[in-house]
Amino acid sequence: MKVNEKLQELRGLMQQQGIDAYIIPSFDAHQSEYVPEHWKSRAWISGFTGSAGTVVVTMDESGLWTDGRYFIQAEKQLTGSEIKLFKMREPGVPTYKEWLAEVLPEKACVGFDGKVFSCNQVKQLENTLSKKNIRLNDEYDFIDAIWKGRPELPLDKIFAHDVKYTGLSTAEKLEQIRQEMRKKGADYYVISSLDDIAWMFNIRGNDVQNNPVAISYALISLDKAWLFIDKRKVDKDVEKVLNENGVDVMEYIEIENMLTSLEKTTKVFYDPDKVSIWLNRCMPKSCEKVEGKDIAMLLKTIKNDVEIQNLKKCQIRDGVAMVRFLHWLDDNIGKESITEISASDKLESFRSQGEDFIGISFDTIAGYKEHAAMMHYKATEESQYTLQSEGMFLVDSGGQYLDGTTDITRTMVLGDITDEERKDFTLVLKGHIALCQAKFLHGVTGTNLDVLARLPLWEQGIDYKCGTGHGVGYLLSVHEAPQRFSMEYNNTKLEKGMVITNEPGVYKEGRHGIRIENTLLVVEDELTESGQFMRFDVISYCPIDLDGIDANLLTDKEKTWLNNYHKKVYEALSPYLDEEEKEWLKKETREI
């Protein structure tokens, strides 16, 4: 069916059940950013394939809400459908909740699937719509009724992540969690988010493309732990390791019965941003429900010493792959046909040669010329460009390794570029350096520092419609909450051991896109009478293209930072390169 035909079939079901508007989010039943094919309902109904967005359908209209990363992509993919694009956070653009409150009549009914809406999402919806006495109905998964041939949930086997990589056993992590439960007076703790469960139980899976997680729920008490997962995915050896660490393995669907049968006077802790309204309603009404930030998430984001040492080694292997790719590109551009897709494939082949490589950490973004202006551009056979000895080529990529997850972006100059492109490249670099050099008092959040990366661009009347950086998991999601650099308020303090990206950019539709991204580790700096100061260590190693820089726009301090960074890149990577690659890297890391 075409998009408009799907919408009409959906409206037929809405009419039968007295639903005036229906909401289709991007999430799965675990509030994941990236989801299995089975849960790509919003993409299926709309044709928009970006990772973030919400579709709302009324009997007369429909809309897609997405953020600045996807404005260009969404406009292209919605062409030919009735769905209107609402550009989130742009002046005068309502949220989908505000829009529903505006267009629906008094006492209308809004429907959605309660398994894919978190408690807080429902609470926010109620707050906005209650002014018009609009009712909510979370009973129906209408998409399941009309999606013929909907993919089944995956059944790939999970594996145990060895303690030599994790630094802590599952039993040790459970004890950390129970200490936090005791502080909150909780008898039970419900976990729905897949990366938190994978971290807590030292398991990894293959249920979500590029994200080594397994579809599951978890329940922790003060003396027991349960993993709810399709048991066909768990072999005897993995189950034995889990059992030895105090974890019982139960079928995925048994979470409902387990929650329903909890003692009526028990105290249950959960994160209302991550646990669905359906899970909430499975618990007895008489239970005391305690809400707060997910315990496992907060523990997981601060990497232990073993994880940090492993990650640094992993980053060097990843940097070697990047250098070999850049050398190959530099050596072959103009000599053979290289497309956006073939370049991505070549980079993955270099990464795959590294020790402990599992796969890529997200679909590589490889955009040549104006394609790079689409922040999350994904080349297709029909859309891809062939690279030429001119312009710029942006590649945002990363790897999943047993000892870490990587994410790095470089914008390469392939030949002649315009003065505007060179100036924009240099402005991005200035913002990147400013954030890398930050020294800040403990207690600061990413929101407090975000302006450092934007200021050189703002001074020229330029901005980018996304955050400046995000947390990175450890053989987990490349986008790890809760820390981030963003203008949108974030209350998570930057703590020693957190990993976060630094990736300012310029995106000019129809012209060019530029991004420079490294991964940073939060470390302690000096302790003074004013308190504990913090700083960042750059743990990504890859040259920044000197051919894109207007050195006249850099201060002496910025030049010193760049020269020192390039010296570290050469020292870290050259021992793993052949003589030809070493010579190329020496040239690319020369002083300016």
Side-chain angles (χ1 to χ4, degrees):
M1 290 187 289
K2 293 182 178 179
V3 169
N4 290 351
E5 293 172 331
K6 295 173 185 178
L7 295 174
Q8 286 307 112
E9 194 158 338
L10 172 60
R11 286 180 177 124
L13 293 176
M14 291 165 57
Q15 190 169 32
Q16 288 176 24
Q17 301 299 337
I19 305 291
D20 299 292
Y22 193 74
I23 307 171
I24 307 113
S26 299
F27 305 117
D28 59 12
H30 304 271
Q31 295 297 299
S32 307
E33 178 184 13
Y34 299 107
V35 303
E37 293 296 324
H38 175 85
W39 271 305
K40 291 185 177 179
S41 301
R42 186 263 304 145
W44 180 82
I45 195 77
S46 68
F48 167 63
T49 59
S51 67
T54 302
V55 166
V56 179
V57 181
T58 70
M59 298 306 293
D60 306 308
E61 302 176 83
S62 58
L64 166 74
W65 280 256
T66 192
D67 62 53
R69 295 172 296 170
Y70 294 111
F71 290 167
I72 301 172
Q73 177 182 340
E75 284 176 341
K76 292 177 183 293
Q77 292 184 323
L78 294 180
T79 300
S81 79
E82 68 162 78
I83 300 175
K84 177 183 176 182
L85 174 61
F86 288 82
K87 297 181 177 181
M88 289 169 59
R89 304 184 190 95
E90 290 293 282
V93 177
T95 66
Y96 78 82
K97 305 175 190 73
E98 293 167 341
W99 183 78
L100 282 170
E102 180 183 330
V103 302
L104 290 179
E106 290 271 347
K107 299 182 180 179
C109 183
V110 173
F112 53 87
D113 177 7
K115 288 187 176 180
V116 298
F117 261 72
S118 74
C119 298
N120 273 351
Q121 287 165 345
V122 173
K123 190 180 298 182
Q124 291 160 10
L125 196 56
E126 286 174 335
N127 290 341
T128 305
L129 301 182
S130 62
K131 303 163 190 173
K132 293 180 76 172
N133 296 311
I134 293 173
R135 295 179 295 111
L136 303 183
N137 185 322
D138 60 15
E139 296 178 46
Y140 300 112
D141 180 1
F142 285 147
I143 301 301
D144 195 57
I146 62 176
W147 188 350
K148 305 299 187 292
R150 184 177 189 174
E152 297 294 325
L153 291 175
L155 285 173
D156 288 18
K157 295 283 188 181
I158 63 171
F159 67 92
H161 198 199
D162 197 285
V163 72
K164 72 179 180 181
Y165 298 114
T166 67
L168 292 171
S169 68
T170 298
E172 290 171 314
K173 290 179 178 180
L174 287 173
E175 182 49 40
Q176 288 184 340
I177 285 167
R178 287 179 177 125
Q179 287 177 16
E180 296 302 315
M181 289 172 62
R182 292 184 188 102
K183 292 177 186 177
K184 300 175 189 302
D187 302 304
Y188 290 93
Y189 164 39
V190 180
I191 313 100
S192 174
S193 45
L194 304 184
D195 57 341
D196 294 325
I197 293 169
W199 172 84
M200 183 168 52
F201 292 138
N202 285 344
I203 57 171
R204 298 297 187 269
N206 192 37
D207 286 355
V208 181
Q209 185 177 1
N210 306 327
N211 289 263
V213 296
I215 297 166
S216 53
Y217 294 107
L219 182 66
I220 312 297
S221 74
L222 294 174
D223 57 2
K224 292 184 179 179
W226 297 269
L227 171 65
F228 301 89
I229 187 171
D230 190 318
K231 293 186 76 169
R232 288 174 290 180
K233 301 178 187 180
V234 187
D235 65 31
K236 291 181 180 178
D237 290 338
V238 174
E239 185 166 7
K240 181 182 176 185
V241 172
L242 288 166
N243 292 162
E244 288 171 350
N245 280 271
V247 182
D248 287 341
V249 180
M250 302 185 70
E251 289 291 348
Y252 180 68
I253 59 174
E254 283 300 308
I255 183 67
E256 180 177 9
N257 291 337
M258 181 68 86
L259 291 180
T260 303
S261 62
L262 289 178
E263 301 92 331
K264 293 183 179 180
T265 57
T266 200
K267 195 171 183 179
V268 183
F269 177 84
Y270 62 93
D271 187 334
D273 285 322
K274 296 189 171 194
V275 166
S276 71
I277 194 67
W278 173 75
L279 278 181
N280 178 294
R281 289 178 181 158
C282 287
M283 306 174 206
K285 289 183 179 180
S286 59
C287 281
E288 182 180 349
K289 298 174 182 178
V290 182
E291 297 183 347
K293 285 292 183 184
D294 198 285
I295 296 170
M297 175 186 72
L298 296 174
L299 292 171
K300 171 174 76 1
T301 195
I302 299 174
K303 308 301 181 267
N304 62 50
D305 290 343
V306 171
E307 290 173 319
I308 290 169
Q309 291 308 311
N310 282 331
L311 181 57
K312 288 179 176 179
K313 295 174 187 174
C314 163
Q315 289 280 357
I316 289 175
R317 287 199 305 280
D318 200 70
V320 168
M322 282 292 297
V323 164
R324 286 181 171 150
F325 166 71
L326 295 177
H327 172 248
W328 167 83
L329 184 65
D330 198 34
D331 206 36
N332 290 282
I333 194 74
K335 298 178 184 177
E336 63 179 80
S337 177
I338 301 174
T339 67
E340 292 167 334
I341 292 177
S342 68
S344 299
D345 292 343
K346 189 70 174 180
L347 176 52
E348 184 175 349
S349 75
F350 280 120
R351 275 201 171 96
S352 68
Q353 296 167 27
E355 184 182 0
D356 291 337
F357 179 76
I358 299 293
I360 57 176
S361 56
F362 56 96
D363 289 343
T364 299
I365 300 165
Y368 181 46
K369 293 190 172 180
E370 73 271 14
H371 280 172
M374 291 182 274
M375 296 181 200
H376 281 214
Y377 169 74
K378 180 170 172 57
T380 65
E381 293 291 342
E382 296 74 30
S383 73
Q384 68 174 330
Y385 282 165
T386 298
L387 309 186
Q388 307 295 332
S389 299
E390 62 179 17
M392 295 186 295
F393 181 40
L394 184 156
V395 177
D396 186 350
S397 66
Q400 295 284 13
Y401 302 84
L402 287 175
D403 51 0
T405 299
T406 66
D407 183 6
I408 187 168
T409 306
R410 289 296 183 266
T411 303
M412 288 77 73
V413 176
L414 302 186
D416 291 339
I417 59 174
T418 66
D419 290 342
E420 179 188 27
E421 288 171 326
R422 191 178 306 280
K423 180 180 179 181
D424 287 348
F425 187 103
T426 310
L427 292 174
V428 171
L429 176 60
K430 287 172 74 70
H432 180 86
I433 292 173
L435 190 49
C436 284
Q437 289 185 318
K439 178 178 177 179
F440 53 96
L441 192 64
H442 180 257
V444 158
T445 77
T447 300
N448 301 133
L449 300 180
D450 180 83
V451 65
L452 297 177
R454 293 181 195 269
L455 195 55
L457 295 164
W458 282 358
E459 288 173 341
Q460 301 298 316
I462 302 170
D463 190 36
Y464 45 94
K465 304 299 183 184
C466 62
T468 301
H470 54 82
V472 181
Y474 183 81
L475 186 55
L476 284 171
S477 173
V478 76
H479 292 159
E480 181 172 88
Q483 72 274 24
R484 66 179 186 272
F485 296 123
S486 174
M487 287 197 300
E488 186 178 348
Y489 181 65
N490 180 274
N491 63 3
T492 301
K493 297 175 184 177
L494 293 172
E495 301 284 358
K496 176 185 175 182
M498 284 184 172
V499 176
I500 190 167
T501 65
N502 172 7
E503 47 183 310
V506 167
Y507 309 96
K508 294 184 174 178
E509 185 174 357
R511 286 136 73 190
H512 59 265
I514 299 161
R515 181 161 65 250
I516 298 171
E517 176 187 19
N518 280 325
T519 300
L520 312 179
L521 175 68
V522 182
V523 299
E524 290 180 341
D525 197 86
E526 63 177 335
L527 177 65
T528 74
E529 60 186 17
S530 294
Q532 178 66 58
F533 281 84
M534 314 293 286
R535 60 179 174 81
F536 299 115
D537 277 351
V538 181
I539 58 174
S540 300
Y541 300 96
C542 182
I544 295 167
D545 199 333
L546 298 175
D547 293 336
I549 299 171
D550 181 349
N552 294 318
L553 296 179
L554 296 181
T555 65
D556 288 343
K557 187 177 180 182
E558 289 166 341
K559 290 176 184 176
T560 298
W561 181 91
L562 183 60
N563 289 336
N564 287 340
Y565 173 68
H566 275 159
K567 183 180 179 182
K568 291 177 184 176
V569 168
Y570 186 80
E571 290 173 350
L573 303 186
S574 59
Y576 306 97
L577 303 173
D578 63 30
E579 289 306 315
E580 183 180 329
E581 292 164 343
K582 281 183 187 178
E583 284 304 309
W584 180 88
L585 182 59
K586 186 179 291 185
K587 176 175 71 74
E588 295 300 311
T589 56
R590 65 191 182 276
E591 287 197 356
I592 64 167

